[in-house]
Amino acid sequence: ILGVRDIHADHAASHIGKAQGIVTCLRATPYHCTKRKVFLPMDICMLHGVSQEDFIRGKQEKNVRDVIYDIASQAHIHLEHVR
């Protein structure tokens, strides 16, 4: 971005961008649910037995929280790669 030509900086920036994208998606989930849209990975939702309708209805059961935790954990893994 500032003329830096370093493969390690590029790698770190890539992981930071992925983490930021995941967090942005999570933060926007309540808003999108008001529009009846869910942009979370369905494979993780199905793993925990959660449907899109569970998010749209605003359920806060353990399995819904587990989906959010698993997705947030992916962002955390990307940050750990940066460090």
Side-chain angles (χ1 to χ4, degrees):
I1 184 168
L2 296 171
V4 175
R5 303 272 188 249
D6 181 0
I7 188 123
H8 300 295
D10 291 346
H11 188 73
S14 172
H15 282 291
I16 288 171
K18 290 172 187 174
Q20 184 178 13
I22 292 168
V23 170
T24 299
C25 182
L26 286 174
R27 289 183 64 209
T29 296
Y31 169 77
H32 290 299
C33 287
T34 65
K35 306 295 183 194
R36 301 193 56 79
K37 296 182 186 296
V38 179
F39 296 107
L40 299 176
M42 284 292 98
D43 58 334
I44 296 175
C45 293
M46 290 184 336
L47 181 69
H48 293 284
V50 176
S51 68
Q52 289 182 345
E53 196 64 32
D54 291 332
F55 283 100
I56 291 169
R57 291 183 182 157
K59 291 187 177 180
Q60 296 190 10
E61 296 167 357
K62 184 182 181 322
N63 57 344
V64 173
R65 292 191 313 267
D66 289 343
V67 169
I68 299 300
Y69 181 84
D70 281 359
I71 296 170
S73 293
Q74 291 299 312
H76 186 275
I77 289 168
H78 285 293
L79 288 178
E80 287 298 315
H81 284 298
V82 172
R83 290 184 183 125

